[in-house]
Amino acid sequence: MTKKILVLAGDGIGPEIVTEAVKVIEVLKKDGLDVSLEDGLIGGASTDAYGEPLTEATLKQAKSADAILLGAVGGPKWESLDIAIRPEKGLLKIRAGLELFSNLRPAILYPQLADASTLKPEVVSGLDLMIVRELTGGIYFGQPRGVETMENGERRGFNTLVYTESEVERIARSAFEIAMKRSKKLCSVDKANVLECTEMWREVVESVAKDYPEVEVSHMYVDNAAMQLVRAPKQFDVMVTTNMFGDILSDAAAMLTGSIGMLPSASLDANGKGMYEPIHGSAPDIAGQGVANPLATILSVAMMLRYTLNEAAMADRVEKAVEKVLDQGLRTADIYSEGTTKVGTKEMGDAVVAAL
Ligand code: NAD
């Protein structure tokens, strides 16, 4: 059956980079990919048109789609608006509305770009790891929370780290499924020596592991994981962790690669439906200039092929095409270095299409 992809280009460089990613999808369609594309508005573009960053109609469109390809939202034009109608609210609303609890953040460093990292090339060159972050639970959502004034007049702030067994089980399953599609190695990150909630996390991960005997599972305390990520990141393949630990570790992992314009992401629900987007924002400083790097968005399409459309061979093809243009020495301004050829957004997209 034809799968439906909703394309939400958003603001700033969003429309420029999404145009290039759509070109890639169009090529694959000619080669048999059975998808149909629909457009919608999100973020500032939606606020301008409808007075809100995500309308109920667009959310309905998203619910009926199999996958969503998102550019980026936000920009100075909307920063003075009431917080309820700021572009970023559109993102939160769509993530919550679709129950996207599993956030996949790969950190891939192509050997061609090893110099972009602040770490030594031999430590990071060829890095390819996936952090699976729980996105809709944990301390960011737990109750009770707040700041109260005690009898002695001193203030007391508190948040609650809370997970149910079923919440841990579904994110663990999501991570095991991903490990099965990669090198069958999974590291679960917790703080089981101090936090009872994550002691239970570890037990649940162990029990889910019984359904995936082929996957080699390990457990690591978060402080050690942070240290290992900068010491020897290539020891990891898939990592799964809580919302807050994942927030911090995935940003650190992303920065190991040094190039924000290269990193895709996915957020999945329990049935594999997903929203795919680059990790960067709308880059208002370069919007409209035709210089943005479209590769993170094109690599988001590869993730969509792998995780929602179950077209692993096509995902490989897109990733190989990206490697090929890097091998050809083509670079957008953000990844440019001496001796390579500087190209714009459209030329980069065209080069990937040609390499496909
Ligand atoms: P940003 O990621 O947009 O930009 C940070 C820096 O990286 C800028 O110098 C930018 O030019 C550069 N950059 C980002 N993507 C690039 C690309 N593809 N090619 C070349 N260079 C690129 O972050 P910011 O400046 O902090 O935020 C700008 C706006 O984006 C804000 O309104 C913010 O709220 C929004 N934002 C949106 C998302 C999202 O849509 N998921 C994520 C982060 C920030």
Side-chain angles (χ1 to χ4, degrees):
M1 214 174 78
T2 307
K3 297 266 175 68
K4 201 160 85 183
I5 302 173
L6 176 64
V7 179
L8 301 172
D11 310 317
I13 60 170
E16 298 166 53
I17 52 180
V18 162
T19 298
E20 302 312 311
V22 167
K23 280 191 332 209
V24 167
I25 297 174
E26 294 296 345
V27 173
L28 298 174
K29 272 177 80 171
K30 285 194 194 116
D31 291 348
L33 179 67
D34 191 9
V35 296
S36 67
L37 300 179
E38 254 179 41
D39 286 318
L41 294 180
I42 193 167
S46 174
T47 299
D48 286 351
Y50 306 117
E52 53 177 320
L54 183 77
T55 62
E56 283 306 317
T58 309
L59 183 58
K60 208 168 146 201
Q61 252 182 312
K63 283 182 177 164
S64 73
D66 296 285
I68 295 126
L69 178 66
L70 181 95
V73 300
K77 183 178 173 192
W78 303 281
E79 266 163 22
S80 55
L81 292 181
D82 183 80
I83 197 151
I85 54 166
R86 286 213 200 128
E88 292 75 12
K89 277 280 171 201
L91 267 190
L92 297 181
K93 189 172 165 188
I94 198 166
R95 283 179 187 150
L98 299 179
E99 289 185 63
L100 304 172
F101 66 87
S102 177
N103 185 214
L104 277 51
R105 293 268 306 257
I108 302 162
L109 183 57
Y110 295 95
Q112 300 91 331
L113 302 178
D115 288 342
S117 176
T118 48
L119 269 69
K120 289 187 195 127
E122 63 269 26
V123 175
V124 284
S125 181
L127 174 75
D128 180 359
L129 82 86
M130 174 75 81
I131 297 190
V132 181
R133 166 190 172 195
E134 200 291 322
L135 200 58
T136 53
I139 196 165
Y140 291 176
F141 293 91
Q143 297 286 349
R145 60 192 297 153
V147 178
E148 63 185 18
T149 304
M150 299 186 296
E151 271 176 17
N152 66 1
E154 191 186 357
R155 288 190 306 155
R156 173 177 172 271
F158 51 97
N159 289 88
T160 307
L161 172 61
V162 53
Y163 274 112
T164 61
E165 284 183 305
S166 53
E167 283 176 318
V168 181
E169 188 182 332
R170 69 179 184 175
I171 189 69
R173 265 187 209 288
S174 179
F176 276 103
E177 290 293 332
I178 288 153
M180 287 296 288
K181 290 184 179 176
R182 292 174 50 105
S183 70
K184 301 188 175 139
K185 214 175 128 195
L186 176 66
C187 177
S188 172
V189 176
D190 60 40
K191 190 72 184 167
N193 51 342
V194 178
L195 301 171
E196 289 83 350
C197 177
T198 69
E199 196 180 357
M200 183 197 82
W201 171 286
R202 188 178 283 217
E203 287 161 11
V204 175
V205 171
E206 275 298 313
S207 81
V208 174
K210 295 194 182 97
D211 294 339
Y212 298 88
E214 287 172 65
V215 177
E216 180 197 324
V217 191
S218 61
H219 302 271
M220 198 178 272
Y221 297 139
V222 65
D223 42 347
N224 187 24
M227 194 169 75
Q228 296 299 333
L229 259 184
V230 288
R231 191 188 71 86
K234 284 190 270 184
Q235 69 185 280
F236 298 112
D237 190 66
V238 182
M239 300 171 93
V240 61
T241 190
T242 65
N243 200 343
M244 182 163 75
F245 295 164
D247 189 5
I248 299 164
L249 294 180
S250 65
D251 267 17
M255 281 307 106
L256 293 176
T257 73
S259 37
I260 195 170
M262 295 294 302
L263 294 176
S265 77
S267 305
L268 305 179
D269 77 358
N271 304 311
K273 173 189 184 135
M275 185 159 84
Y276 297 84
E277 54 182 312
I279 69 155
H280 60 71
S282 58
D285 52 332
I286 56 167
Q289 298 173 21
V291 298
N293 187 347
L295 294 179
T297 318
I298 290 172
L299 290 167
S300 300
V301 170
M303 288 190 83
M304 180 190 290
L305 289 162
R306 181 163 282 120
Y307 295 111
T308 293
L309 304 175
N310 288 315
E311 295 282 359
M314 284 196 183
D316 287 345
R317 249 183 92 193
V318 173
E319 286 163 0
K320 289 212 169 74
V322 167
E323 279 187 54
K324 191 165 174 193
V325 300
L326 294 176
D327 277 338
Q328 290 164 348
L330 303 182
R331 305 279 189 274
T332 42
D334 56 310
I335 51 172
Y336 174 76
S337 62
E338 235 180 74
T340 60
T341 309
K342 199 186 278 185
V343 294
T345 311
K346 181 176 176 304
E347 290 154 289
M348 189 57 113
D350 287 343
V352 175
V353 164
L356 272 175

